[in-house]
Amino acid sequence: MKKQLFLPLFLISLMVFAQDHYLHCGTIVDVATGKLITEKTIIVSGDKIKAIESGYLTGTANDINIDLKNSVVMPGLIDMHVHIESEFGPKVYMKRFSDNEADTAFESTVYAKKTLMAGFTTIRDLGGSGVNISLRKAINKGIVDGPRIFTAGKALATTGGHADPTNGVNKKLLGDPGPKEGVVNSVEDAKKAVRQRYKNGADVIKITATGGVLSVAKSGQNPQFTIEEIKAIVSTAKDYGFSVAAHAHGDEGMRRAVLGGVTTIEHGTLMGEETMKSMIEKECYLIPTISAGKQVAEKAKVPGFFPEVVAKKALEIGPLHQAAINRAYKKGVPMGFGTDAGVFPHGMNAIEFGYLLEAGIPVMESLKAATLVNARLLGMENQLGQLKEGFLADIIAVAENPGDNVKTLESVRFVMKGGKVYKQ
């Protein structure tokens, strides 16, 4: 009897497993060329794109047809700079003392889902407490809905630097954090800190090459690593298969980071001409985060929203960001796409496209940065960033051509990640 039941059940399970999706796409954005392609069917099998055919094809009765004829379809978006564990607000400085790791973890699942629903199917998380690594694992296991995550775990800083976890705390709690906690003060510390990130399960290394806006520290732009320390981080990171991202507002810290061999500069607010030339020569990519600059400058005008030392920096640095991106673009500095979501609400990542357009960057170039270019920076250029046969089926759709209406990117109507539909 058991043998007689086994064969039908086995065949049924094969039928379910073999179920394909046929996406009838009215318009597809070819991010490599910026051209629009009409009336295509994307056939998704498992987690990958099986084929892209002309016209509107249908499969067997077991397959699923999805009508996107009145939509504009493109690859899932990639945000190269988010902080998925948290969302900034007036209480964030106290949450370090009141929240447990579990509180952070539960909140992060909400932010992850909002990000995915906004059409960002892959993100690079550039620093939190380490919960980000566990969140990545939970998403990969299918326990939590969220984007594909590449994370730095805990960012690296110098003592008192932008990512020193004890900035602004009572002197009784200061202690002396070192490489294990992500604080570096020598070449040897630098090597050990990278190796600790590898041990913890990080995917990328993030350093704070200059001061930052939101840390409770005086300067938002001073250099905070020696070039020897940066070189030690980069060379050790290379040994362990990591790329290195460098937060940087001030030009001197940025210059050191570029010469030290980092892969990306995050923010780039006060970038000078020589630094721009160096980035072009070394193929070091700038990740603009105009949204963060806009948001912190606006919130700094609200009494009590930030501590006084933070508000002062936000008003100084925030308004300069968009103009800096315009200069870098005109100069030819290579660019990816990032937002610094978490500094502002998660799920609003697509507002960056509008700000980039205001900075003189055409929408189709920004879309290319947020897909094809970012995939290459992640080392995933053969799996992500394009709608191509054999690529992972990360597919989104919006109502209009983004080249005609950039705001349409803020209202994603369809989301598929790895062949699974999350929003329709």
Side-chain angles (χ1 to χ4, degrees), residues 78 80 122-123 148-150 371-386 390-392 394:
I78 303 171
M80 289 290 278
T122 302
I123 59 170
R148 189 176 292 103
I149 295 177
F150 294 82
T371 51
L372 192 148
V373 173
N374 280 358
R376 186 166 64 245
L377 288 171
L378 290 171
M380 297 288 287
E381 63 270 30
N382 295 320
Q383 298 183 65
L384 295 174
Q386 295 185 72
F391 276 51
L392 289 168
D394 282 17

mmCIF file with all atom_site columns, all heavy atoms in Angstrom, residues 78 80 122-123 148-150 371-386 390-392 394:
data_model
loop_
_atom_site.group_PDB
_atom_site.id
_atom_site.type_symbol
_atom_site.label_atom_id
_atom_site.label_alt_id
_atom_site.label_comp_id
_atom_site.label_asym_id
_atom_site.label_entity_id
_atom_site.label_seq_id
_atom_site.pdbx_PDB_ins_code
_atom_site.Cartn_x
_atom_site.Cartn_y
_atom_site.Cartn_z
_atom_site.occupancy
_atom_site.B_iso_or_equiv
_atom_site.pdbx_formal_charge
_atom_site.auth_seq_id
_atom_site.auth_comp_id
_atom_site.auth_asym_id
_atom_site.auth_atom_id
_atom_site.pdbx_PDB_model_num
ATOM 1   N N   . ILE A 1 78  ? 19.315 47.569 -6.244  1.00 0.00 ? 78  ILE A N   1
ATOM 2   C CA  . ILE A 1 78  ? 20.364 47.267 -5.259  1.00 0.00 ? 78  ILE A CA  1
ATOM 3   C C   . ILE A 1 78  ? 20.778 48.568 -4.578  1.00 0.00 ? 78  ILE A C   1
ATOM 4   O O   . ILE A 1 78  ? 21.174 49.523 -5.247  1.00 0.00 ? 78  ILE A O   1
ATOM 5   C CB  . ILE A 1 78  ? 21.596 46.624 -5.933  1.00 0.00 ? 78  ILE A CB  1
ATOM 6   C CG1 . ILE A 1 78  ? 21.188 45.354 -6.699  1.00 0.00 ? 78  ILE A CG1 1
ATOM 7   C CG2 . ILE A 1 78  ? 22.670 46.312 -4.889  1.00 0.00 ? 78  ILE A CG2 1
ATOM 8   C CD1 . ILE A 1 78  ? 22.313 44.773 -7.564  1.00 0.00 ? 78  ILE A CD1 1
ATOM 9   N N   . MET A 1 80  ? 23.474 50.116 -2.095  1.00 0.00 ? 80  MET A N   1
ATOM 10  C CA  . MET A 1 80  ? 24.806 49.783 -1.580  1.00 0.00 ? 80  MET A CA  1
ATOM 11  C C   . MET A 1 80  ? 25.132 50.414 -0.233  1.00 0.00 ? 80  MET A C   1
ATOM 12  O O   . MET A 1 80  ? 26.239 50.241 0.288   1.00 0.00 ? 80  MET A O   1
ATOM 13  C CB  . MET A 1 80  ? 25.874 50.203 -2.598  1.00 0.00 ? 80  MET A CB  1
ATOM 14  C CG  . MET A 1 80  ? 25.895 49.346 -3.838  1.00 0.00 ? 80  MET A CG  1
ATOM 15  S SD  . MET A 1 80  ? 26.499 47.670 -3.554  1.00 0.00 ? 80  MET A SD  1
ATOM 16  C CE  . MET A 1 80  ? 28.269 47.960 -3.611  1.00 0.00 ? 80  MET A CE  1
ATOM 17  N N   . THR A 1 122 ? 18.182 43.610 -3.142  1.00 0.00 ? 122 THR A N   1
ATOM 18  C CA  . THR A 1 122 ? 19.520 43.368 -2.591  1.00 0.00 ? 122 THR A CA  1
ATOM 19  C C   . THR A 1 122 ? 20.014 44.645 -1.933  1.00 0.00 ? 122 THR A C   1
ATOM 20  O O   . THR A 1 122 ? 19.802 45.744 -2.469  1.00 0.00 ? 122 THR A O   1
ATOM 21  C CB  . THR A 1 122 ? 20.518 42.946 -3.693  1.00 0.00 ? 122 THR A CB  1
ATOM 22  O OG1 . THR A 1 122 ? 20.036 41.766 -4.338  1.00 0.00 ? 122 THR A OG1 1
ATOM 23  C CG2 . THR A 1 122 ? 21.900 42.675 -3.123  1.00 0.00 ? 122 THR A CG2 1
ATOM 24  N N   . ILE A 1 123 ? 20.657 44.503 -0.778  1.00 0.00 ? 123 ILE A N   1
ATOM 25  C CA  . ILE A 1 123 ? 21.235 45.665 -0.108  1.00 0.00 ? 123 ILE A CA  1
ATOM 26  C C   . ILE A 1 123 ? 22.627 45.325 0.411   1.00 0.00 ? 123 ILE A C   1
ATOM 27  O O   . ILE A 1 123 ? 22.954 44.167 0.648   1.00 0.00 ? 123 ILE A O   1
ATOM 28  C CB  . ILE A 1 123 ? 20.370 46.150 1.080   1.00 0.00 ? 123 ILE A CB  1
ATOM 29  C CG1 . ILE A 1 123 ? 20.195 45.028 2.119   1.00 0.00 ? 123 ILE A CG1 1
ATOM 30  C CG2 . ILE A 1 123 ? 19.023 46.679 0.593   1.00 0.00 ? 123 ILE A CG2 1
ATOM 31  C CD1 . ILE A 1 123 ? 19.566 45.478 3.416   1.00 0.00 ? 123 ILE A CD1 1
ATOM 32  N N   . ARG A 1 148 ? 18.109 40.451 -0.220  1.00 0.00 ? 148 ARG A N   1
ATOM 33  C CA  . ARG A 1 148 ? 19.388 39.736 -0.118  1.00 0.00 ? 148 ARG A CA  1
ATOM 34  C C   . ARG A 1 148 ? 20.382 40.698 0.529   1.00 0.00 ? 148 ARG A C   1
ATOM 35  O O   . ARG A 1 148 ? 20.557 41.823 0.073   1.00 0.00 ? 148 ARG A O   1
ATOM 36  C CB  . ARG A 1 148 ? 19.825 39.343 -1.523  1.00 0.00 ? 148 ARG A CB  1
ATOM 37  C CG  . ARG A 1 148 ? 21.000 38.417 -1.623  1.00 0.00 ? 148 ARG A CG  1
ATOM 38  C CD  . ARG A 1 148 ? 21.242 38.044 -3.078  1.00 0.00 ? 148 ARG A CD  1
ATOM 39  N NE  . ARG A 1 148 ? 20.157 37.209 -3.598  1.00 0.00 ? 148 ARG A NE  1
ATOM 40  C CZ  . ARG A 1 148 ? 19.190 37.636 -4.386  1.00 0.00 ? 148 ARG A CZ  1
ATOM 41  N NH1 . ARG A 1 148 ? 19.139 38.920 -4.740  1.00 0.00 ? 148 ARG A NH1 1
ATOM 42  N NH2 . ARG A 1 148 ? 18.248 36.834 -4.817  1.00 0.00 ? 148 ARG A NH2 1
ATOM 43  N N   . ILE A 1 149 ? 21.055 40.256 1.591   1.00 0.00 ? 149 ILE A N   1
ATOM 44  C CA  . ILE A 1 149 ? 21.909 41.165 2.356   1.00 0.00 ? 149 ILE A CA  1
ATOM 45  C C   . ILE A 1 149 ? 23.382 40.797 2.244   1.00 0.00 ? 149 ILE A C   1
ATOM 46  O O   . ILE A 1 149 ? 23.761 39.640 2.404   1.00 0.00 ? 149 ILE A O   1
ATOM 47  C CB  . ILE A 1 149 ? 21.505 41.177 3.851   1.00 0.00 ? 149 ILE A CB  1
ATOM 48  C CG1 . ILE A 1 149 ? 20.103 41.761 4.035   1.00 0.00 ? 149 ILE A CG1 1
ATOM 49  C CG2 . ILE A 1 149 ? 22.505 41.972 4.676   1.00 0.00 ? 149 ILE A CG2 1
ATOM 50  C CD1 . ILE A 1 149 ? 19.604 41.744 5.473   1.00 0.00 ? 149 ILE A CD1 1
ATOM 51  N N   . PHE A 1 150 ? 24.191 41.814 1.966   1.00 0.00 ? 150 PHE A N   1
ATOM 52  C CA  . PHE A 1 150 ? 25.644 41.732 2.113   1.00 0.00 ? 150 PHE A CA  1
ATOM 53  C C   . PHE A 1 150 ? 25.982 42.723 3.229   1.00 0.00 ? 150 PHE A C   1
ATOM 54  O O   . PHE A 1 150 ? 25.704 43.915 3.102   1.00 0.00 ? 150 PHE A O   1
ATOM 55  C CB  . PHE A 1 150 ? 26.353 42.133 0.818   1.00 0.00 ? 150 PHE A CB  1
ATOM 56  C CG  . PHE A 1 150 ? 26.100 41.184 -0.324  1.00 0.00 ? 150 PHE A CG  1
ATOM 57  C CD1 . PHE A 1 150 ? 24.928 41.286 -1.077  1.00 0.00 ? 150 PHE A CD1 1
ATOM 58  C CD2 . PHE A 1 150 ? 27.014 40.196 -0.643  1.00 0.00 ? 150 PHE A CD2 1
ATOM 59  C CE1 . PHE A 1 150 ? 24.677 40.411 -2.126  1.00 0.00 ? 150 PHE A CE1 1
ATOM 60  C CE2 . PHE A 1 150 ? 26.772 39.321 -1.697  1.00 0.00 ? 150 PHE A CE2 1
ATOM 61  C CZ  . PHE A 1 150 ? 25.599 39.421 -2.437  1.00 0.00 ? 150 PHE A CZ  1
ATOM 62  N N   . THR A 1 371 ? 21.655 48.869 -10.451 1.00 0.00 ? 371 THR A N   1
ATOM 63  C CA  . THR A 1 371 ? 21.462 47.470 -10.886 1.00 0.00 ? 371 THR A CA  1
ATOM 64  C C   . THR A 1 371 ? 22.784 46.887 -11.364 1.00 0.00 ? 371 THR A C   1
ATOM 65  O O   . THR A 1 371 ? 23.503 46.247 -10.595 1.00 0.00 ? 371 THR A O   1
ATOM 66  C CB  . THR A 1 371 ? 20.395 47.395 -11.994 1.00 0.00 ? 371 THR A CB  1
ATOM 67  O OG1 . THR A 1 371 ? 20.712 48.342 -13.044 1.00 0.00 ? 371 THR A OG1 1
ATOM 68  C CG2 . THR A 1 371 ? 19.010 47.721 -11.454 1.00 0.00 ? 371 THR A CG2 1
ATOM 69  N N   . LEU A 1 372 ? 23.119 47.149 -12.598 1.00 0.00 ? 372 LEU A N   1
ATOM 70  C CA  . LEU A 1 372 ? 24.292 46.549 -13.223 1.00 0.00 ? 372 LEU A CA  1
ATOM 71  C C   . LEU A 1 372 ? 25.596 46.920 -12.514 1.00 0.00 ? 372 LEU A C   1
ATOM 72  O O   . LEU A 1 372 ? 26.435 46.059 -12.214 1.00 0.00 ? 372 LEU A O   1
ATOM 73  C CB  . LEU A 1 372 ? 24.333 46.977 -14.697 1.00 0.00 ? 372 LEU A CB  1
ATOM 74  C CG  . LEU A 1 372 ? 25.295 46.276 -15.641 1.00 0.00 ? 372 LEU A CG  1
ATOM 75  C CD1 . LEU A 1 372 ? 24.691 46.226 -17.034 1.00 0.00 ? 372 LEU A CD1 1
ATOM 76  C CD2 . LEU A 1 372 ? 26.637 47.004 -15.691 1.00 0.00 ? 372 LEU A CD2 1
ATOM 77  N N   . VAL A 1 373 ? 25.802 48.208 -12.232 1.00 0.00 ? 373 VAL A N   1
ATOM 78  C CA  . VAL A 1 373 ? 27.048 48.656 -11.597 1.00 0.00 ? 373 VAL A CA  1
ATOM 79  C C   . VAL A 1 373 ? 27.175 48.096 -10.183 1.00 0.00 ? 373 VAL A C   1
ATOM 80  O O   . VAL A 1 373 ? 28.220 47.562 -9.796  1.00 0.00 ? 373 VAL A O   1
ATOM 81  C CB  . VAL A 1 373 ? 27.133 50.198 -11.571 1.00 0.00 ? 373 VAL A CB  1
ATOM 82  C CG1 . VAL A 1 373 ? 28.345 50.652 -10.749 1.00 0.00 ? 373 VAL A CG1 1
ATOM 83  C CG2 . VAL A 1 373 ? 27.229 50.756 -12.989 1.00 0.00 ? 373 VAL A CG2 1
ATOM 84  N N   . ASN A 1 374 ? 26.100 48.213 -9.398  1.00 0.00 ? 374 ASN A N   1
ATOM 85  C CA  . ASN A 1 374 ? 26.148 47.717 -8.024  1.00 0.00 ? 374 ASN A CA  1
ATOM 86  C C   . ASN A 1 374 ? 26.364 46.205 -7.971  1.00 0.00 ? 374 ASN A C   1
ATOM 87  O O   . ASN A 1 374 ? 27.053 45.698 -7.074  1.00 0.00 ? 374 ASN A O   1
ATOM 88  C CB  . ASN A 1 374 ? 24.873 48.088 -7.281  1.00 0.00 ? 374 ASN A CB  1
ATOM 89  C CG  . ASN A 1 374 ? 24.881 49.528 -6.789  1.00 0.00 ? 374 ASN A CG  1
ATOM 90  O OD1 . ASN A 1 374 ? 25.851 50.243 -6.959  1.00 0.00 ? 374 ASN A OD1 1
ATOM 91  N ND2 . ASN A 1 374 ? 23.799 49.946 -6.167  1.00 0.00 ? 374 ASN A ND2 1
ATOM 92  N N   . ALA A 1 375 ? 25.766 45.483 -8.914  1.00 0.00 ? 375 ALA A N   1
ATOM 93  C CA  . ALA A 1 375 ? 25.980 44.029 -8.959  1.00 0.00 ? 375 ALA A CA  1
ATOM 94  C C   . ALA A 1 375 ? 27.454 43.717 -9.170  1.00 0.00 ? 375 ALA A C   1
ATOM 95  O O   . ALA A 1 375 ? 28.010 42.802 -8.540  1.00 0.00 ? 375 ALA A O   1
ATOM 96  C CB  . ALA A 1 375 ? 25.132 43.420 -10.076 1.00 0.00 ? 375 ALA A CB  1
ATOM 97  N N   . ARG A 1 376 ? 28.092 44.492 -10.033 1.00 0.00 ? 376 ARG A N   1
ATOM 98  C CA  . ARG A 1 376 ? 29.521 44.286 -10.282 1.00 0.00 ? 376 ARG A CA  1
ATOM 99  C C   . ARG A 1 376 ? 30.347 44.606 -9.036  1.00 0.00 ? 376 ARG A C   1
ATOM 100 O O   . ARG A 1 376 ? 31.290 43.887 -8.702  1.00 0.00 ? 376 ARG A O   1
ATOM 101 C CB  . ARG A 1 376 ? 29.968 45.156 -11.458 1.00 0.00 ? 376 ARG A CB  1
ATOM 102 C CG  . ARG A 1 376 ? 31.410 44.897 -11.888 1.00 0.00 ? 376 ARG A CG  1
ATOM 103 C CD  . ARG A 1 376 ? 31.713 45.506 -13.245 1.00 0.00 ? 376 ARG A CD  1
ATOM 104 N NE  . ARG A 1 376 ? 31.621 46.954 -13.253 1.00 0.00 ? 376 ARG A NE  1
ATOM 105 C CZ  . ARG A 1 376 ? 30.728 47.645 -13.936 1.00 0.00 ? 376 ARG A CZ  1
ATOM 106 N NH1 . ARG A 1 376 ? 29.816 47.036 -14.662 1.00 0.00 ? 376 ARG A NH1 1
ATOM 107 N NH2 . ARG A 1 376 ? 30.717 48.960 -13.900 1.00 0.00 ? 376 ARG A NH2 1
ATOM 108 N N   . LEU A 1 377 ? 29.981 45.658 -8.309  1.00 0.00 ? 377 LEU A N   1
ATOM 109 C CA  . LEU A 1 377 ? 30.703 46.012 -7.090  1.00 0.00 ? 377 LEU A CA  1
ATOM 110 C C   . LEU A 1 377 ? 30.559 44.934 -6.012  1.00 0.00 ? 377 LEU A C   1
ATOM 111 O O   . LEU A 1 377 ? 31.449 44.762 -5.172  1.00 0.00 ? 377 LEU A O   1
ATOM 112 C CB  . LEU A 1 377 ? 30.196 47.354 -6.555  1.00 0.00 ? 377 LEU A CB  1
ATOM 113 C CG  . LEU A 1 377 ? 30.600 48.594 -7.368  1.00 0.00 ? 377 LEU A CG  1
ATOM 114 C CD1 . LEU A 1 377 ? 29.859 49.828 -6.864  1.00 0.00 ? 377 LEU A CD1 1
ATOM 115 C CD2 . LEU A 1 377 ? 32.109 48.814 -7.310  1.00 0.00 ? 377 LEU A CD2 1
ATOM 116 N N   . LEU A 1 378 ? 29.458 44.206 -6.058  1.00 0.00 ? 378 LEU A N   1
ATOM 117 C CA  . LEU A 1 378 ? 29.239 43.112 -5.105  1.00 0.00 ? 378 LEU A CA  1
ATOM 118 C C   . LEU A 1 378 ? 29.858 41.796 -5.567  1.00 0.00 ? 378 LEU A C   1
ATOM 119 O O   . LEU A 1 378 ? 29.803 40.792 -4.851  1.00 0.00 ? 378 LEU A O   1
ATOM 120 C CB  . LEU A 1 378 ? 27.735 42.901 -4.881  1.00 0.00 ? 378 LEU A CB  1
ATOM 121 C CG  . LEU A 1 378 ? 26.997 43.987 -4.102  1.00 0.00 ? 378 LEU A CG  1
ATOM 122 C CD1 . LEU A 1 378 ? 25.487 43.743 -4.157  1.00 0.00 ? 378 LEU A CD1 1
ATOM 123 C CD2 . LEU A 1 378 ? 27.472 44.060 -2.659  1.00 0.00 ? 378 LEU A CD2 1
ATOM 124 N N   . GLY A 1 379 ? 30.428 41.792 -6.774  1.00 0.00 ? 379 GLY A N   1
ATOM 125 C CA  . GLY A 1 379 ? 30.969 40.560 -7.326  1.00 0.00 ? 379 GLY A CA  1
ATOM 126 C C   . GLY A 1 379 ? 29.879 39.606 -7.786  1.00 0.00 ? 379 GLY A C   1
ATOM 127 O O   . GLY A 1 379 ? 30.095 38.400 -7.910  1.00 0.00 ? 379 GLY A O   1
ATOM 128 N N   . MET A 1 380 ? 28.685 40.155 -8.073  1.00 0.00 ? 380 MET A N   1
ATOM 129 C CA  . MET A 1 380 ? 27.520 39.351 -8.459  1.00 0.00 ? 380 MET A CA  1
ATOM 130 C C   . MET A 1 380 ? 27.051 39.692 -9.872  1.00 0.00 ? 380 MET A C   1
ATOM 131 O O   . MET A 1 380 ? 25.887 39.506 -10.221 1.00 0.00 ? 380 MET A O   1
ATOM 132 C CB  . MET A 1 380 ? 26.379 39.584 -7.462  1.00 0.00 ? 380 MET A CB  1
ATOM 133 C CG  . MET A 1 380 ? 26.664 39.145 -6.048  1.00 0.00 ? 380 MET A CG  1
ATOM 134 S SD  . MET A 1 380 ? 26.678 37.354 -5.867  1.00 0.00 ? 380 MET A SD  1
ATOM 135 C CE  . MET A 1 380 ? 24.915 36.979 -5.985  1.00 0.00 ? 380 MET A CE  1
ATOM 136 N N   . GLU A 1 381 ? 27.966 40.186 -10.704 1.00 0.00 ? 381 GLU A N   1
ATOM 137 C CA  . GLU A 1 381 ? 27.578 40.662 -12.031 1.00 0.00 ? 381 GLU A CA  1
ATOM 138 C C   . GLU A 1 381 ? 27.061 39.553 -12.948 1.00 0.00 ? 381 GLU A C   1
ATOM 139 O O   . GLU A 1 381 ? 26.410 39.834 -13.955 1.00 0.00 ? 381 GLU A O   1
ATOM 140 C CB  . GLU A 1 381 ? 28.744 41.387 -12.711 1.00 0.00 ? 381 GLU A CB  1
ATOM 141 C CG  . GLU A 1 381 ? 29.966 40.522 -12.988 1.00 0.00 ? 381 GLU A CG  1
ATOM 142 C CD  . GLU A 1 381 ? 30.966 40.512 -11.858 1.00 0.00 ? 381 GLU A CD  1
ATOM 143 O OE1 . GLU A 1 381 ? 30.570 40.656 -10.695 1.00 0.00 ? 381 GLU A OE1 1
ATOM 144 O OE2 . GLU A 1 381 ? 32.174 40.340 -12.142 1.00 0.00 ? 381 GLU A OE2 1
ATOM 145 N N   . ASN A 1 382 ? 27.322 38.283 -12.623 1.00 0.00 ? 382 ASN A N   1
ATOM 146 C CA  . ASN A 1 382 ? 26.822 37.177 -13.435 1.00 0.00 ? 382 ASN A CA  1
ATOM 147 C C   . ASN A 1 382 ? 25.532 36.578 -12.879 1.00 0.00 ? 382 ASN A C   1
ATOM 148 O O   . ASN A 1 382 ? 25.040 35.563 -13.384 1.00 0.00 ? 382 ASN A O   1
ATOM 149 C CB  . ASN A 1 382 ? 27.885 36.085 -13.552 1.00 0.00 ? 382 ASN A CB  1
ATOM 150 C CG  . ASN A 1 382 ? 29.108 36.554 -14.313 1.00 0.00 ? 382 ASN A CG  1
ATOM 151 O OD1 . ASN A 1 382 ? 28.990 37.270 -15.308 1.00 0.00 ? 382 ASN A OD1 1
ATOM 152 N ND2 . ASN A 1 382 ? 30.281 36.176 -13.852 1.00 0.00 ? 382 ASN A ND2 1
ATOM 153 N N   . GLN A 1 383 ? 24.993 37.211 -11.821 1.00 0.00 ? 383 GLN A N   1
ATOM 154 C CA  . GLN A 1 383 ? 23.765 36.693 -11.212 1.00 0.00 ? 383 GLN A CA  1
ATOM 155 C C   . GLN A 1 383 ? 22.707 37.766 -10.966 1.00 0.00 ? 383 GLN A C   1
ATOM 156 O O   . GLN A 1 383 ? 21.515 37.464 -10.950 1.00 0.00 ? 383 GLN A O   1
ATOM 157 C CB  . GLN A 1 383 ? 24.088 36.024 -9.873  1.00 0.00 ? 383 GLN A CB  1
ATOM 158 C CG  . GLN A 1 383 ? 25.014 34.819 -9.993  1.00 0.00 ? 383 GLN A CG  1
ATOM 159 C CD  . GLN A 1 383 ? 25.232 34.161 -8.649  1.00 0.00 ? 383 GLN A CD  1
ATOM 160 O OE1 . GLN A 1 383 ? 24.295 33.617 -8.062  1.00 0.00 ? 383 GLN A OE1 1
ATOM 161 N NE2 . GLN A 1 383 ? 26.455 34.196 -8.141  1.00 0.00 ? 383 GLN A NE2 1
ATOM 162 N N   . LEU A 1 384 ? 23.149 39.005 -10.761 1.00 0.00 ? 384 LEU A N   1
ATOM 163 C CA  . LEU A 1 384 ? 22.227 40.085 -10.401 1.00 0.00 ? 384 LEU A CA  1
ATOM 164 C C   . LEU A 1 384 ? 22.421 41.287 -11.311 1.00 0.00 ? 384 LEU A C   1
ATOM 165 O O   . LEU A 1 384 ? 23.434 41.424 -11.994 1.00 0.00 ? 384 LEU A O   1
ATOM 166 C CB  . LEU A 1 384 ? 22.473 40.529 -8.951  1.00 0.00 ? 384 LEU A CB  1
ATOM 167 C CG  . LEU A 1 384 ? 22.185 39.536 -7.827  1.00 0.00 ? 384 LEU A CG  1
ATOM 168 C CD1 . LEU A 1 384 ? 22.638 40.132 -6.495  1.00 0.00 ? 384 LEU A CD1 1
ATOM 169 C CD2 . LEU A 1 384 ? 20.714 39.172 -7.777  1.00 0.00 ? 384 LEU A CD2 1
ATOM 170 N N   . GLY A 1 385 ? 21.431 42.188 -11.287 1.00 0.00 ? 385 GLY A N   1
ATOM 171 C CA  . GLY A 1 385 ? 21.585 43.487 -11.933 1.00 0.00 ? 385 GLY A CA  1
ATOM 172 C C   . GLY A 1 385 ? 21.077 43.585 -13.349 1.00 0.00 ? 385 GLY A C   1
ATOM 173 O O   . GLY A 1 385 ? 21.020 44.675 -13.921 1.00 0.00 ? 385 GLY A O   1
ATOM 174 N N   . GLN A 1 386 ? 20.679 42.467 -13.950 1.00 0.00 ? 386 GLN A N   1
ATOM 175 C CA  . GLN A 1 386 ? 20.130 42.490 -15.302 1.00 0.00 ? 386 GLN A CA  1
ATOM 176 C C   . GLN A 1 386 ? 19.050 41.430 -15.429 1.00 0.00 ? 386 GLN A C   1
ATOM 177 O O   . GLN A 1 386 ? 19.031 40.452 -14.675 1.00 0.00 ? 386 GLN A O   1
ATOM 178 C CB  . GLN A 1 386 ? 21.217 42.212 -16.348 1.00 0.00 ? 386 GLN A CB  1
ATOM 179 C CG  . GLN A 1 386 ? 22.304 43.263 -16.427 1.00 0.00 ? 386 GLN A CG  1
ATOM 180 C CD  . GLN A 1 386 ? 23.261 42.980 -17.569 1.00 0.00 ? 386 GLN A CD  1
ATOM 181 O OE1 . GLN A 1 386 ? 22.917 43.133 -18.739 1.00 0.00 ? 386 GLN A OE1 1
ATOM 182 N NE2 . GLN A 1 386 ? 24.467 42.563 -17.231 1.00 0.00 ? 386 GLN A NE2 1
ATOM 183 N N   . GLY A 1 390 ? 19.504 32.843 -17.110 1.00 0.00 ? 390 GLY A N   1
ATOM 184 C CA  . GLY A 1 390 ? 20.460 32.288 -16.169 1.00 0.00 ? 390 GLY A CA  1
ATOM 185 C C   . GLY A 1 390 ? 20.705 33.148 -14.946 1.00 0.00 ? 390 GLY A C   1
ATOM 186 O O   . GLY A 1 390 ? 21.322 32.691 -13.975 1.00 0.00 ? 390 GLY A O   1
ATOM 187 N N   . PHE A 1 391 ? 20.224 34.397 -14.965 1.00 0.00 ? 391 PHE A N   1
ATOM 188 C CA  . PHE A 1 391 ? 20.385 35.286 -13.813 1.00 0.00 ? 391 PHE A CA  1
ATOM 189 C C   . PHE A 1 391 ? 19.305 34.985 -12.767 1.00 0.00 ? 391 PHE A C   1
ATOM 190 O O   . PHE A 1 391 ? 18.251 34.435 -13.082 1.00 0.00 ? 391 PHE A O   1
ATOM 191 C CB  . PHE A 1 391 ? 20.278 36.748 -14.248 1.00 0.00 ? 391 PHE A CB  1
ATOM 192 C CG  . PHE A 1 391 ? 21.577 37.328 -14.764 1.00 0.00 ? 391 PHE A CG  1
ATOM 193 C CD1 . PHE A 1 391 ? 22.315 36.680 -15.739 1.00 0.00 ? 391 PHE A CD1 1
ATOM 194 C CD2 . PHE A 1 391 ? 22.062 38.534 -14.263 1.00 0.00 ? 391 PHE A CD2 1
ATOM 195 C CE1 . PHE A 1 391 ? 23.510 37.215 -16.219 1.00 0.00 ? 391 PHE A CE1 1
ATOM 196 C CE2 . PHE A 1 391 ? 23.251 39.076 -14.721 1.00 0.00 ? 391 PHE A CE2 1
ATOM 197 C CZ  . PHE A 1 391 ? 23.982 38.407 -15.704 1.00 0.00 ? 391 PHE A CZ  1
ATOM 198 N N   . LEU A 1 392 ? 19.589 35.351 -11.524 1.00 0.00 ? 392 LEU A N   1
ATOM 199 C CA  . LEU A 1 392 ? 18.588 35.223 -10.479 1.00 0.00 ? 392 LEU A CA  1
ATOM 200 C C   . LEU A 1 392 ? 17.361 36.062 -10.828 1.00 0.00 ? 392 LEU A C   1
ATOM 201 O O   . LEU A 1 392 ? 17.501 37.184 -11.335 1.00 0.00 ? 392 LEU A O   1
ATOM 202 C CB  . LEU A 1 392 ? 19.158 35.656 -9.129  1.00 0.00 ? 392 LEU A CB  1
ATOM 203 C CG  . LEU A 1 392 ? 20.186 34.695 -8.513  1.00 0.00 ? 392 LEU A CG  1
ATOM 204 C CD1 . LEU A 1 392 ? 20.892 35.355 -7.338  1.00 0.00 ? 392 LEU A CD1 1
ATOM 205 C CD2 . LEU A 1 392 ? 19.516 33.403 -8.068  1.00 0.00 ? 392 LEU A CD2 1
ATOM 206 N N   . ASP A 1 394 ? 15.293 38.335 -9.874  1.00 0.00 ? 394 ASP A N   1
ATOM 207 C CA  . ASP A 1 394 ? 14.966 39.511 -9.073  1.00 0.00 ? 394 ASP A CA  1
ATOM 208 C C   . ASP A 1 394 ? 14.346 40.514 -10.045 1.00 0.00 ? 394 ASP A C   1
ATOM 209 O O   . ASP A 1 394 ? 15.059 41.117 -10.868 1.00 0.00 ? 394 ASP A O   1
ATOM 210 C CB  . ASP A 1 394 ? 16.213 40.104 -8.430  1.00 0.00 ? 394 ASP A CB  1
ATOM 211 C CG  . ASP A 1 394 ? 16.679 39.325 -7.211  1.00 0.00 ? 394 ASP A CG  1
ATOM 212 O OD1 . ASP A 1 394 ? 16.250 38.168 -7.058  1.00 0.00 ? 394 ASP A OD1 1
ATOM 213 O OD2 . ASP A 1 394 ? 17.476 39.867 -6.430  1.00 0.00 ? 394 ASP A OD2 1
#
